[in-house]
Structure formats: structure tokens, C-alpha cells
Amino acid sequence: MENKMELERIRFSIIIGAYETNAVFFRQGLSSACAIKWKNLEIHVLDACPGAGLDEVTRQTAGDDYRVSYHRIRPRGSLADVFNAGIGMARGDYLIFLGLTDRLNTMILRYLSDHIMLHPDDQIIYTDHDEIRDKSRMNPYFLPDFNKELLLGDNYIGDTFIVKRDAFSRTGFFNKNLRFAFDYDLFLRAMAKGIRFGHVAALLWHRMEYDLPDSPEIRELRRQSLREHITVAMTYFNQAGVAASISQGILGDSWEVRYDGSGFEAHRSDVILIKNRHVRVLTRRAAQKLYGYVCQPDIAIAAGKFIHGTHILNCGYIFDQNGITYPACRGQGIFSSGLYGRNIRPQDVSMVDFSFCMIDASFFKRSGGFDTRLKGNDMFLDLCLKARAGGLRVVYVPGVITGRQEAEESGDEASRKILLDKWSGTIPAGDPFYNRNLPAGIDNYVL
């Protein structure tokens, strides 16, 4: 039997910041934390809601649970300031920040402990989550492993996450001047510092969903949140020296990043543009758009969305543990956003469609180019894996749309064996950008 003391050697601190919240959500969040069976745990309640009666709610909910500490703190400018106070109080090796309307799964610390044992260098950890509405769980969010391009266009991680205490010495604390995007700001600053992100592919927290009135006040709060997130993202690009602009999404609840690819004509020799004869490019200035990605020092390959008639052929590819590739989102409508916006959001992927793509020429030369022993998609996946092994990214760009026939090129048994031998330490682990809880095969990115 597993030694329980060894299992619980990692000390966790759960930080529950009560700021502009109500007693119902607060009680549910605290109750979920107290329900976790883990002795080496402390739960810090930081009450910045004077007059809300949360001290009494804490006593009623926590009872005589020795792990719970209640702190009444003076109301400050934002939840970021409240969380910063919690960082100063916590003694755990890992700090769990609980979103205002979120609840924890009782198994979260067991999963986190197992993950940390295998990945001790991960300093920010996030997990899958779902929603609870009217006491029913729904809409599971099965996320990819760390995805830089996706994070630059969407805080896909969410409001509940885990930070190793040591990380704050490199990132600094939360920005107390931010009201809505302080967690997103921390993620981007951590990414810029090269801090490792880890992902646990299990539904370990739950967001409480409720209907908000469509009032001018609520709409203004959403606009403020969006503007703040855009400002944080733009600050990252400016500090990283990346030529980009950001525009608000059509529905006003998202943002779109556009990279400057105007230097394509002057730098044609720096890239390799592949276009098969049977491909029709449907997007104006497609090469310039791809160059906006490939000109960045950490991107090796970029390609767009492939369609046939009214349905999608692929939004890049996924691979399984046997090295077989499958077209992502195949058969979905060309105007559909896909699962969690998979069809319409730029993001890192394991492989793109090489029928029309752009490759950084210096990477291609350094890597030795295509392995001619391989055939079809085996050869293309091999090149993408070489990019990833060299610390470079492969990016799916949905704003570049091309049309072609449905024929797919596949390898043969000999080709697949060579591929698997070359990548025996990588392929069996599965596609890092495809969640193992989603169905593999042709019917992917569906629930």
C-alpha cells in the first residue's frame, strides 16, 4: 500500500480571496476546500468584504477544521491585492488560487501530487475544468498542454490555478493595478521569464455558472475586462519586441492578434513557401500572414485552415500514440467556431497541412529537411517533431484559408516503423496539444 505520509509530503496552501463576492459562492468554494482529505494542507480565507458576514459563514462551514485560517483584511483596490496578501501568509510549497465562483474537486491534491512527482520543474500548473449550473455538471473544458499562441489570444487556463512558491521570486506578485486580468498578466510574465507550465488532464475544478442580467452595468464590466486583457497582451508584445496589433472580436468578448508580415517580399529567401498544384489559396495576402508568424524567432512552421466545399478538411493534425495522424476538426462546418473555438483561434499544434505552408529556411537547413525515408504525413510529422525538439513552434493560422481535394497522403508500414524508431521517446506519450480525454481518430475535437 502506498505510504500516505510520502504521498502527502508536498504542502499545499489554498488561497480563497473574498472580494466583491457573495456568501453563496464563498460558502461553496470554502466547503469544497474543506472537503479535501489532505492533512498537509492549509486554507487561508482572506475576507475583504466588510459587512458581508463571511466570518460567520467561515465558522459555520469550516467548523473545527484546524487547516482553515480566517483573516479579515482591509478592502483594497482589487482581488490581486487580496491574493498578494495571501501569498505572504501561505507556507505551502504550492499555492492554489481559487476563482471567486469556482469549486475544487476533492481529488485535486492527489492528482497534483502525482503530477509534481513526475514534473518537479513545473512552476505554474493548470487543470481541466467544467461548469455547474442548477446543480448539474456540464461543458467539460479538456485543455491542451501549455500552448503559447493560444494563450496570447485567450486566457484559456481560467481563474483557478496552482503556482509553486519559488515562481514568485522570478515573476513578482500579482499586479494590484489590474482588476480583471491580473492572473493573465502573471501568466504572460511567467512565459516571458521561461517559467515552465504544467497541465493535469483531469476535471479538477468547477465553475459555478449563473445567468447575469443584460444590463448596462454588466456590459460595461465586460468591456472593461476585455480592454484590460488587450492592454496586458499588448504590453507583452511590446516588451518582447514582436510587431503585432490587437483588435476586439466581433462579439466584443474576445480579441484577435495580427502579426506584421509586411516584410515578406524583402525576406523571401528567409522562408520556404510550399504550395501544391491542387491547392487554391482563398485568403488575400496569405503568404504575408504566414510570414508574420514564421518571422518570429521561436516559430518554425505555419499553415492555415483547409476546406472543401462547405466543410473543413483540417485545422492542422493530431497524432496518436502509434504515430498515426488525423485531420483536426474534419467534417465540421466552415463557419463553425469548433470546440472552445478550436477552428478560429491561432494556436500551437503538433502538425499542419504541408499542402500550403511556410517554413523557416534556416530551421529547415539545420534540421536536415525532410527525411526521404519517410512517406506522406510521416515525413511531415517528423519535420514538425524536429521543430518541437529544437524548442521551436508549429502554428495553426485560421485566418489563412485554402481549398483542396480530400485526398490525404499516408505512409506505409515501413515508413511508420522508421518514424516510431526515431521518436520512440516522444510519440508514445501522445499529442501534447490534444487532450487525452477527447476521442482520438477522425472524430476528434467533439464531446
Side-chain angles (χ1 to χ4, degrees):
M1 181 179 292
E2 187 174 16
N3 188 308
K4 190 171 183 180
M5 291 184 64
E6 174 64 20
L7 175 66
E8 294 195 8
R9 72 177 183 82
I10 300 172
R11 185 172 182 83
F12 292 97
S13 298
I14 297 175
I15 310 297
I16 302 176
Y19 179 82
E20 294 183 347
T21 188
N22 62 53
V24 174
F25 292 129
F26 173 78
R27 186 191 300 273
Q28 291 175 338
L30 176 58
S31 178
S32 72
C34 293
I36 297 172
K37 306 298 183 184
W38 197 272
K39 292 183 178 179
N40 202 6
L41 165 68
E42 57 181 25
I43 303 169
H44 289 280
V45 174
L46 288 83
D47 182 0
C49 299
L54 299 187
D55 52 346
E56 181 61 27
V57 174
T58 301
R59 283 193 291 270
Q60 293 174 356
T61 305
D64 57 357
D65 192 332
Y66 67 92
R67 303 171 302 174
V68 178
S69 299
Y70 173 85
H71 314 272
R72 188 191 300 275
I73 64 175
R74 190 165 62 184
R76 306 184 184 191
S78 69
L79 180 60
D81 226 353
V82 177
F83 277 164
N84 285 340
I87 296 170
M89 299 174 184
R91 296 171 296 163
D93 305 306
Y94 291 83
L95 281 58
I96 302 173
F97 296 92
L98 184 62
L100 290 176
T101 63
D102 298 342
R103 294 168 55 181
L104 298 173
N105 186 292
T106 56
M107 294 296 292
I108 186 170
L109 299 190
R110 175 61 183 263
Y111 276 86
L112 286 176
S113 181
D114 290 346
H115 177 89
I116 291 165
M117 292 290 193
L118 295 174
H119 308 281
D121 294 331
D122 289 352
Q123 293 188 284
I124 295 181
I125 305 172
Y126 62 94
T127 81
D128 299 342
H129 61 277
D130 59 12
E131 299 172 354
I132 297 179
R133 184 185 290 270
D134 297 328
K135 299 182 180 180
S136 298
R137 290 178 59 184
M138 59 184 65
N139 298 333
Y141 286 76
F142 293 123
L143 304 175
D145 287 352
F146 181 67
N147 195 311
K148 177 179 178 179
E149 199 61 44
L150 181 59
L151 186 61
L152 289 171
D154 176 43
N155 180 12
Y156 73 90
I157 292 175
D159 298 328
T160 292
F161 51 92
I162 302 93
V163 183
K164 191 174 184 180
R165 169 177 292 284
D166 298 348
F168 290 109
S169 63
R170 296 179 61 189
T171 64
F173 285 13
F174 296 105
N175 186 340
K176 64 182 181 180
N177 297 316
L178 296 175
R179 182 180 180 187
F180 303 97
F182 59 87
D183 47 1
Y184 184 57
D185 172 72
L186 180 77
F187 300 153
L188 295 193
R189 284 189 283 122
M191 186 169 68
K193 295 283 188 180
I195 284 176
R196 285 181 58 93
F197 286 70
H199 167 230
V200 181
L203 300 170
L204 297 179
W205 60 274
H206 320 286
R207 176 181 291 124
M208 303 298 297
E209 287 294 320
Y210 56 98
D211 294 322
L212 288 173
D214 186 22
S215 65
E217 293 77 15
I218 295 297
R219 290 195 294 270
E220 177 57 27
L221 288 175
R222 287 172 176 159
R223 283 193 291 268
Q224 291 177 18
S225 176
L226 180 60
R227 286 196 298 266
E228 196 170 275
H229 280 81
I230 290 174
T231 298
V232 167
M234 204 64 237
T235 299
Y236 169 85
F237 287 123
N238 291 337
Q239 293 177 346
V242 176
S245 62
I246 302 179
S247 60
Q248 182 175 304
I250 296 176
L251 299 179
D253 59 352
S254 62
W255 64 94
E256 180 180 354
V257 178
R258 291 189 176 92
Y259 297 108
D260 182 8
S262 60
F264 170 66
E265 293 298 336
H267 296 88
R268 277 179 173 268
S269 61
D270 294 340
V271 299
I272 300 169
L273 182 64
I274 297 177
K275 179 182 179 299
N276 288 1
R277 289 180 302 169
H278 58 272
V279 167
R280 293 179 298 111
V281 180
L282 306 176
T283 301
R284 294 181 58 195
R285 296 187 294 275
Q288 288 86 342
K289 291 183 178 182
L290 293 180
Y291 181 72
Y293 288 85
V294 178
C295 70
Q296 297 178 49
D298 65 340
I299 297 179
I301 306 169
K305 179 189 301 182
F306 287 76
I307 67 172
H308 179 66
T310 60
H311 66 271
I312 293 172
L313 283 181
N314 72 74
C315 296
Y317 285 79
I318 66 171
F319 68 84
D320 66 15
Q321 294 175 318
N322 297 310
I324 301 173
T325 56
Y326 302 96
C329 308
R330 184 187 185 98
Q332 298 183 22
I334 59 174
F335 299 112
S336 67
S337 60
L339 190 64
Y340 324 132
R342 174 61 179 80
N343 300 345
I344 60 175
R345 288 187 175 135
Q347 54 201 277
D348 298 344
V349 295
S350 288
M351 178 180 150
V352 292
D353 192 322
F354 277 68
S355 299
F356 181 69
C357 71
M358 187 173 288
I359 308 172
D360 178 82
S362 62
F363 152 72
F364 191 78
K365 183 178 180 179
R366 292 194 313 271
S367 67
F370 292 119
D371 186 338
T372 55
R373 298 175 301 164
L374 303 174
K375 295 183 179 180
N377 279 358
D378 293 344
M379 181 171 62
F380 303 141
L381 177 59
D382 174 70
L383 186 68
C384 291
L385 291 176
K386 285 194 282 189
R388 293 278 303 159
L392 300 175
R393 297 187 288 133
V394 178
V395 180
Y396 158 68
V397 185
V400 174
I401 301 175
T402 53
R404 68 168 174 81
Q405 299 300 313
E406 296 201 39
E408 301 283 352
E409 296 186 40
S410 58
D412 55 26
E413 186 175 338
S415 172
R416 186 63 41 74
K417 184 179 186 307
I418 294 171
L419 179 72
L420 291 172
D421 287 344
K422 286 185 69 172
W423 299 100
S424 60
T426 301
I427 289 177
D431 190 329
F433 301 112
Y434 188 70
N435 193 292
R436 69 187 185 199
N437 294 304
L438 292 171
I442 291 295
D443 293 326
N444 52 66
Y445 285 109
V446 294
L447 291 176

